[in-house]
Amino acid sequence: MTERLSPAERTAALESLLVERELVDPSVMDGFIGRYERDVGPMNGARVVATAWTDPSYLEWLRKDATAAIADLGFSGPQGEHMVVLEQTDEVHHVVVCTLCSCYPWPVLGLPPSWYKDPAYRSRVVREPRAVLAEMGCPLPDDVGIQVWDSSAEVRYLVVPQRPAGTEELGVDELAPLVTRDAMVGVARL
Amino acid sequence: MTERLSPAERTAALESLLVERELVDPSVMDGFIGRYERDVGPMNGARVVATAWTDPSYLEWLRKDATAAIADLGFSGPQGEHMVVLEQTDEVHHVVVCTLCSCYPWPVLGLPPSWYKDPAYRSRVVREPRAVLAEMGCPLPDDVGIQVWDSSAEVRYLVVPQRPAGTEELGVDELAPLVTRDAMVGVARL
Amino acid sequence: MDSIADMGGVLGYGPASRPMADEPPFAEPWEGRAFAMTVLAMGRISGRNLDAFRHALERLSPLDYLADGYYGRWLNAAELMLVESAVLAPGAVDTRVRRDRGEDVAEPAFPEPRKPEYAPSAPGSLREVADPPRLAVGQAVVTADVHPRGPSKLPAYLRRRRGTVTAVRPAHVLPDTHGVFVGENPQQVYTVGFDSAELWGPDAEPFRLHADLFDSYLAAVTGTEDS
Amino acid sequence: MDSIADMGGVLGYGPASRPMADEPPFAEPWEGRAFAMTVLAMGRISGRNLDAFRHALERLSPLDYLADGYYGRWLNAAELMLVESAVLAPGAVDTRVRRDRGEDVAEPAFPEPRKPEYAPSAPGSLREVADPPRLAVGQAVVTADVHPRGPSKLPAYLRRRRGTVTAVRPAHVLPDTHGVFVGENPQQVYTVGFDSAELWGPDAEPFRLHADLFDSYLAAVTGTEDS
């Protein structure tokens, strides 16, 4: 076979070609990369979850129109056009995947982590979710039912984990740091 | 990702390990390679076809018990336990594939050529055989029906091409060199 | 499309990886560059037709899809679309790599761009449709038996299976046509729930699988339960 | 097994290649070495259990299956079986490569081989079975709806499809069990013919597809024609 050129070299080559064609501006690219490195990430979703935990009327709004309720906290944009929340309970555990590509709710969770993009996760979590969750460090009790959500269209799901016991006195600012990305996709519990 | 080591280096490493374990003998390997480079190949199948073209009773035997008729010419062994012949006609064109691996009738045709092992052939000839045959240089008239054979178990198929016009005077020794490997799998006509 | 990108239920990819805390969005700098460049350049050539980009991903050869991970396939799909739109000449990227390495190779001329004559009717994927939803929550359905050569959002593992409508979602542009620049054809989308045994047989782990499926992928069947 | 090795009908692998006249069996010398070594070593560890070797091929990661072509996957499957049988330690091949390159790396000790306790009852795959064939030529059948995690010779594109028995073949050992060393379970094999429209829908090229299927993959249905 012919040698595969490294993606780093190919990316640099493509960038220089597109800059010559005036199709991309490196400083705009820098800004775009920085935005997803710093401003758009799971801290956004954590804010949504912490607000839902502390404000019953906000939770009700999330259930009825998650897109609007999330936008109200300032989070909207591509890959978040129609948001739906899934609430973990003692009886039901939700987990989200995109088998066809790696669709993910960018405005609330940022760009997907490596395990979400991994073919091992995409292929198997729709076939043997309990086994996959256990491999990922999230074994579930036998009496917890599993609901798997394959984001096959433009609906994007945010999982609302259960509020940890002993946090009754905490406010949104203290709660948000407790909410992890993995719990908001459904591969971890808090 | 980690670097992929080249298959040539890995083959040499595996051979040295297996020689140390006394599981393979390089001179036996040499003999085995030479056998498939020199003695087992499409010239065997060509002999079968040329005999069938010239001897109606042999053709009848091939139709009834191809394994025995082929063994009678000296060709038998692994990947040829149960042989079946498929005869091309003016109306019907047969073509053979193995979608699950690359099963092939070794005693009569040798080891498979690269196109037969290629995922492009394995995946598409069972879905759009007319298009695939045209790409491979074998366009078929619209009025020729196609029969595709997926060798999914241990039956092995040998295609008997149509005898070219103008060869009525030739004997087996002259006819055999006219019979190509590709025609005996069904991706070429003579 | 029937391609390896449609990987639900396929075995052989090994164990799932354990999440790392605080994983950065880009493992290496080139991943960020490939990400930003793809999003920005795609907007310029296809009016941010995300369905066309996803279809470019699934049209990659399996090695190009798998060998360099997620942003590697983004990079390869971006190159595919840029060549198809004649923004770049075939082979232009590899030639530039070789020049950057110091090799004396001639670069192909920039071709004349040939953008698809197509523009979305509005930003995003959601659209209004005139007809009310054909199916109601609780309706038993069977999915289509299709063999798509182009874009489709009906995964192979969900074809010819019985399920139940569990939610009615907004109408979306149809990727099957939008992704190949022949029309938006917005359709109602439904969330459909399936029993794991219907998908994977009686020995499957018990669970429910939900997927968001377009109206034309579904036929109503008698009864109100899928199992 | 549901893996990328089961590739009938999958798109994305590009155009078929044109045959070359007089192509040698091995494109490079290592291919011949890998071929001979695999055949000879497999005979030693698994009693020439070809079904086990084919199952090792389909268990490879997709990159290991595709990246180095046909003999590359043979090499990788041979290594997988040799490690599973503890003839080689995990990583032994890669470590040897690095030593051959002059790197100072420690090699793992040879483990104690652990051959499967299994021997075929006879050479080859054909066997006699006591019962006469259950199905006759002309019988309409429907194929099973299975999701194999282990070996199977029922390709995905031929599951849950209607066809017609076109020939009764000899009984063979069943790869589903033989390939994982749990029994030969010989079964009758039938050639079953399918109409292309039954497999690929009404827009398919018209043709007939024949496959050799084991008795347990088939159920008889009423009628004598598949279409």
Side-chain angles (χ1 to χ4, degrees), chain C:
Chain C
M1 177 175 158
D2 289 334
S3 81
I4 67 144
D6 183 359
M7 54 178 64
V10 175
L11 304 175
Y13 287 101
S17 39
R18 270 190 181 247
M20 290 175 288
D22 301 322
E23 180 188 324
F26 308 113
E28 297 180 49
W30 72 264
E31 297 190 347
R33 308 302 296 168
F35 164 71
M37 193 160 45
T38 300
V39 173
L40 296 171
M42 287 303 108
R44 300 288 291 269
I45 66 156
S46 67
R48 294 187 196 276
N49 189 324
L50 193 56
D51 291 315
F53 178 64
R54 291 183 182 132
H55 188 43
L57 285 167
E58 65 192 352
R59 288 186 290 131
L60 294 175
S61 84
L63 270 179
D64 288 339
Y65 191 90
L66 295 171
D68 298 308
Y70 181 69
Y71 291 110
R73 75 185 67 119
W74 275 49
L75 176 69
N76 293 328
E79 184 186 355
L80 177 60
M81 288 185 74
L82 290 164
V83 169
E84 287 175 344
S85 307
V87 172
L88 295 181
V93 173
D94 284 11
T95 308
R96 179 59 60 96
V97 169
R98 298 196 183 282
R99 280 184 73 88
D100 288 345
R101 287 179 178 182
E103 292 178 34
D104 181 22
V105 284
E107 297 202 286
F110 275 126
E112 195 56 43
R114 189 181 57 228
K115 265 177 62 168
E117 285 185 31
Y118 183 82
S121 66
S125 303
L126 306 188
R127 298 289 184 271
E128 299 288 329
V129 289
D131 293 333
R134 181 173 61 96
L135 305 169
V137 170
Q139 174 66 54
V141 293
V142 63
T143 55
D145 181 15
V146 289
H147 309 280
R149 307 181 68 91
S152 167
K153 291 293 190 169
L154 180 58
Y157 79 100
L158 294 179
R159 297 183 198 149
R160 269 205 306 175
R161 299 287 167 195
R162 292 172 76 104
T164 305
V165 174
T166 54
V168 180
R169 306 298 186 189
H172 299 16
V173 301
L174 185 71
D176 311 40
T177 52
H178 183 58
V180 287
F181 305 109
V182 298
E184 294 193 342
N185 294 315
Q187 288 189 1
Q188 199 72 53
V189 169
Y190 301 92
T191 302
V192 179
F194 301 87
D195 200 80
S196 59
E198 168 70 7
L199 303 179
W200 307 115
D203 299 331
E205 276 186 14
F207 66 96
R208 292 285 290 179
L209 184 294
H210 304 265
D212 300 315
L213 303 178
F214 286 81
D215 185 84
S216 56
Y217 303 164
L218 302 172
V221 294
T222 309
T224 54
E225 289 302 323
D226 53 293
S227 57

Side-chain angles (χ1 to χ4, degrees), chain B residues 48-62 163 172 175:
Chain B
V48 173
V49 169
T51 307
W53 282 346
T54 50
D55 179 348
S57 68
Y58 185 77
L59 175 61
E60 209 44 53
W61 189 13
L62 262 188
R163 182 174 180 164
V172 170
L175 286 168

Side-chain angles (χ1 to χ4, degrees), chain A residues 32-50:
Chain A
F32 203 72
I33 293 166
R35 179 167 149 72
Y36 281 94
E37 284 182 328
R38 285 184 303 269
D39 307 330
V40 183
M43 61 283 191
N44 296 0
R47 193 102 207 144
V48 173
V49 169

